[in-house]
Amino acid sequence: MTENNSTDDTARTTIEVDREVWRKVRAEAVGEGKNISEKLEEILREYFEDDA
């Protein structure tokens, strides 16, 4: 995710997540050399692509 501006196609949000889930996502992100936002976006894309 990048900084939000008028020419960018991203959105910023705030979510509440179970602490255990957060730790798992954070650990995966760090293990893959990604930041948490990148990992969350990857998870959401995979989830919604499978739903299509």
Side-chain angles (χ1 to χ4, degrees):
M1 292 183 156
T2 59
E3 186 174 324
N4 194 15
N5 63 45
S6 61
T7 60
D8 201 353
D9 197 20
T10 61
R12 290 187 172 270
T13 188
T14 301
I15 60 170
E16 291 186 23
V17 181
D18 180 81
R19 194 175 306 269
E20 183 179 334
V21 171
W22 180 253
R23 287 180 180 144
K24 289 178 182 179
V25 172
R26 184 180 61 200
E28 274 193 43
V30 169
E32 296 174 8
K34 298 177 181 176
N35 67 42
I36 296 170
S37 292
E38 290 171 325
K39 185 61 184 177
L40 286 170
E41 182 174 356
E42 177 183 298
I43 290 167
L44 288 169
R45 285 186 183 276
E46 288 175 7
Y47 176 83
F48 284 102
E49 285 176 0
D50 289 343
D51 194 37

